[in-house]
Amino acid sequence: MLIEYQAIDVDVVSHSSPVSNETTALLALTTNSPPKEVSKKETSSKNILISLLPSFLLCAVIWFGVTPDEELTVTAIHLLAVFTSCIFALITTSVDISMLVLTGLTVLALTQSFECVDHATGTLTECRLCGEINPLTGDLFQCKGGKESFKQSLEGFSSSVVWLIFAAFHLGKAVEVTKLGQRLSFIMIKSFGKHNLGLAYAIIASELLLAPFVPSNTARGGGIVLPVVQSIATTLGSTPESHPEIGSFLILVGNHANLLSASMYLTGMAANPIVVAKANQLFPNINFGFMVWLQGSIVPALVCAALIPILIRWSLGINREEPKRGKHATGGNNVVLHAKMELNKMGPMTTKEWQLCFTLVGCLCLWVMSNVIHLDSTLVALLGIVVLLHLGTISWKDVSGNTKAWDTLFWLGGFVTIAQHLSEAGASSFLGHKISYAIQHFNLPPLPSLAIAYFLTTFMFSSLSAHTVAFVSTFLDAGHTLGANPTFLIAFIAYFGNLGGCMTNFSTGMAAMYYAPGYVARSKWFMVGFEMAIFYIFVYFTVGWTWWKFLGWE
């Protein structure tokens, strides 16, 4: 039985957010004397070095301890050492990912641990061998190791995938700056927010509607939807300290809705295009583009969307007893009134909102027709940014001040460089063969084993993008070696790379932001996450599998 929300005649109370606490702390630090600040910085630097020691040790063990053979060249071992130590540092330390990538690229460039082109034969060779005699031809390798190795270290920054993600961040920023995303969320709540389940479905619908246009799941969930969710919870008299039940329900629904919307669209999460790029490289006959991605995800994702609020409500026990309200609760549909009030405050749609609407719809149409008009998806996204800049919808200050976009451009470009050369040097296929051998040794079915293992490995990461960059090549290579159905394999890797973030409160920045208000205890978050993980795997191996067979993917 649906429980109607009860009106409360209490004012919305403003609570201190983590951001405000951090701001207070920073202001307090400004009163410290300069010597103390220097001392703290020195201590921080020492802590960083100490925390990185295990990663340096791991790198050294692989770099010097692994013997090169026919499968692994010296360059492949060096790339594997740097890549593995970077991933280990991401898991075990709080060091900025860009700092790790810069360090790794510098080490690889200095040691000439990249693949260079031999201009005599046009084939790839290890940069460290440039100028030495080719044992096959007796001629010198015609390449300049030092110069070309540095050039190779910058290769990932010219990747269209990296620039697509960069451009998508700015389109998301436009949605935030113009407040179009907030308006859409309030419209959904006004339409469906009379009951607890209706409100949950409104949050999910908001995510699914915003996801194609806001590819940063952190920006979408944390910057657009979460503030609305918190505002509604507070309006209902639910705070972490007083009657947190309904707030916990909304927070968990928002978190899982974000991950689901990220999996549903190619543009739903920043790293999704990386999966497609690797898949198209490994399986050139399969064009897993925007429409194919959506075609495969839409049915299982909508089934999940319909059941997520019910499952979370059951897990929290809300279906067994009426959620506790604020002490002044009397009856009515206060949530809808709150949404109407906020929409009235916002007024009619502004010119900038209309400009953004037309631009985003135009981009979406061009993405859908990309196979017909032969326009690269990245070019379409950049075209959208250019249009918004010239219309004055956003300013160059909005672009230059979008630090998340620039930071992502740097670390992702660096990671793509290392991942590409790992593949070219044979390290990815080597790891894929090892995984394949393990699956064959234990007589496990290839496709379910790889898909479930990929899902569960997200538990080790604090970034879905980092997880994708780290493992997508390895798991696709393993599936290719084992002869798994390529389209099914790509689909599972594509969708599970996002849904796997459901298990922890640190899997992505968005999850950390939803957890931060304190509505849900860590143990409860993990318990619900484990239950939802089983649910997602079950749905995609039943409903998803059946739907993909119907599409003729088998």
Side-chain angles (χ1 to χ4, degrees):
M1 186 175 77
L2 293 177
I3 303 169
E4 291 195 5
Y5 277 113
Q6 298 174 329
I8 54 175
D9 52 358
V10 294
D11 293 331
V12 177
V13 181
S14 175
H15 295 279
S16 298
S17 65
V19 176
S20 63
N21 291 336
E22 289 176 9
T23 305
T24 304
L26 288 172
L27 288 172
L29 283 174
T30 60
T31 62
N32 291 342
S33 59
K36 289 184 179 179
E37 285 189 9
V38 173
S39 177
K40 287 183 178 180
K41 288 179 181 178
E42 289 177 353
T43 303
S44 177
S45 300
K46 289 179 181 178
N47 290 338
I48 289 175
L49 289 174
I50 292 172
S51 67
L52 287 173
L53 281 178
S55 301
F56 292 149
L57 180 61
L58 177 62
C59 182
V61 168
I62 299 174
W63 190 290
F64 299 107
V66 178
T67 304
D69 54 25
E70 293 181 356
E71 288 186 289
L72 277 181
T73 64
V74 172
T75 295
I77 293 170
H78 291 178
L79 285 163
L80 190 60
V82 170
F83 187 71
T84 305
S85 61
C86 281
I87 297 301
F88 184 76
L90 278 176
I91 298 171
T92 59
T93 74
S94 58
V95 178
D96 287 339
I97 186 172
S98 295
M99 177 179 167
L100 296 173
V101 171
L102 177 61
T103 304
L105 287 177
T106 303
V107 169
L108 291 171
L110 285 172
T111 56
Q112 300 182 21
S113 300
F114 286 110
E115 295 281 313
C116 291
V117 177
D118 178 12
H119 300 296
T121 62
T123 58
L124 290 174
T125 187
E126 298 177 73
C127 292
R128 67 184 184 84
L129 298 177
C130 291
E132 296 186 10
I133 296 176
N134 186 337
L136 297 178
T137 64
D139 299 323
L140 294 175
F141 286 111
Q142 294 185 16
C143 52
K144 297 179 180 179
K147 183 178 180 180
E148 292 189 29
S149 183
F150 177 66
K151 183 180 179 181
Q152 294 297 328
S153 71
L154 304 176
E155 186 179 26
F157 297 101
S158 63
S159 168
S160 62
V161 172
V162 173
W163 282 94
L164 172 60
I165 295 168
F166 173 77
F169 264 99
H170 293 303
L171 292 177
K173 184 68 174 179
V175 173
E176 181 184 343
V177 168
T178 60
K179 298 189 181 299
L180 177 62
Q182 210 171 32
R183 182 184 296 276
L184 293 174
S185 295
F186 281 129
I187 290 173
M188 289 291 184
I189 292 162
K190 184 183 76 170
S191 303
F192 306 109
K194 290 185 178 180
H195 307 282
N196 60 339
L197 283 181
L199 187 55
Y201 288 126
I203 293 171
I204 293 174
S206 299
E207 276 282 356
L208 296 181
L209 185 64
L210 291 171
F213 310 109
V214 187
S216 167
N217 70 309
T218 300
R220 183 174 69 250
I224 298 174
V225 180
L226 175 58
V228 178
V229 172
Q230 284 187 279
S231 177
I232 294 167
T234 307
T235 303
L236 288 167
S238 177
T239 69
E241 297 79 21
S242 175
H243 310 298
E245 293 84 2
I246 202 64
S248 302
F249 173 64
L250 297 178
I251 287 289
L252 285 169
V253 167
N255 175 72
H256 288 276
N258 181 273
L259 295 170
L260 182 67
S261 65
S263 73
M264 189 169 176
Y265 304 97
L266 173 59
T267 53
M269 202 271 282
N272 286 350
I274 296 174
V275 180
V276 173
K278 177 60 182 177
N280 291 340
Q281 177 187 349
L282 201 59
F283 307 103
N285 295 328
I286 299 176
N287 183 19
F288 207 87
F290 183 91
M291 287 306 298
V292 177
W293 183 299
L294 179 59
Q295 191 179 38
S297 68
I298 190 166
V299 170
L302 290 179
V303 170
C304 289
L307 295 177
I308 281 174
I310 298 172
L311 289 174
I312 292 178
R313 192 177 67 163
W314 170 81
S315 183
L316 295 176
I318 294 178
N319 61 321
R320 292 187 288 274
E321 60 180 46
E322 183 176 340
K324 295 179 181 178
R325 313 290 177 159
K327 60 182 180 180
H328 300 293
T330 57
N333 55 355
N334 199 52
V335 178
V336 175
L337 293 176
H338 172 71
K340 289 180 178 178
M341 179 182 69
E342 293 297 328
L343 284 170
N344 288 335
K345 285 182 183 178
M346 295 181 77
M349 283 187 64
T350 64
T351 302
K352 290 187 176 182
E353 286 179 274
W354 281 114
Q355 291 170 348
L356 181 58
C357 278
F358 287 121
T359 303
L360 291 178
V361 170
C363 286
L364 184 60
C365 292
L366 292 176
W367 280 328
V368 170
M369 298 186 297
S370 59
N371 291 332
V372 178
I373 60 178
H374 304 294
L375 272 181
D376 190 273
S377 297
T378 305
L379 182 58
V380 171
L382 291 174
L383 176 63
I385 293 172
V386 170
V387 170
L388 292 175
L389 284 170
H390 283 282
L391 289 175
T393 311
I394 58 175
S395 66
W396 183 250
K397 284 186 177 180
D398 293 322
V399 175
S400 62
N402 192 354
T403 54
K404 286 184 179 179
W406 294 101
D407 190 47
T408 302
L409 175 68
F410 183 83
W411 74 257
L412 190 56
F415 253 138
V416 166
T417 297
I418 300 174
Q420 284 178 350
H421 282 271
L422 269 173
S423 181
E424 291 173 359
S428 292
S429 59
F430 172 79
L431 292 175
H433 289 316
K434 293 299 181 183
I435 294 174
S436 304
Y437 175 77
I439 289 174
Q440 288 175 328
H441 179 74
F442 292 104
N443 295 319
L444 299 173
L447 197 54
S449 301
L450 289 170
I452 293 173
Y454 188 77
F455 187 105
L456 295 178
T457 50
T458 57
F459 190 90
M460 300 185 298
F461 285 81
S462 59
S463 166
L464 294 180
S465 297
H467 173 259
T468 300
V469 173
F471 283 140
V472 67
S473 295
T474 299
F475 277 82
L476 287 177
D477 279 326
H480 184 260
T481 302
L482 291 169
N485 180 305
T487 314
F488 275 43
L489 176 66
I490 297 168
F492 276 121
I493 296 296
Y495 306 142
F496 280 3
N498 295 286
L499 295 172
C502 71
M503 294 182 288
T504 70
N505 61 341
F506 55 81
S507 61
T508 172
M510 174 280 305
M513 293 171 76
Y514 267 99
Y515 174 75
Y519 279 97
V520 186
R522 183 179 299 172
S523 58
K524 175 63 72 173
W525 191 286
F526 276 60
M527 186 192 76
V528 173
F530 178 74
E531 293 170 351
M532 295 305 295
I534 296 174
F535 166 68
Y536 291 137
I537 291 172
F538 175 78
V539 169
Y540 277 79
F541 272 104
T542 53
V543 176
W545 193 291
T546 304
W547 171 242
W548 301 336
K549 280 187 174 181
F550 176 78
L551 293 175
W553 284 9
E554 195 171 25

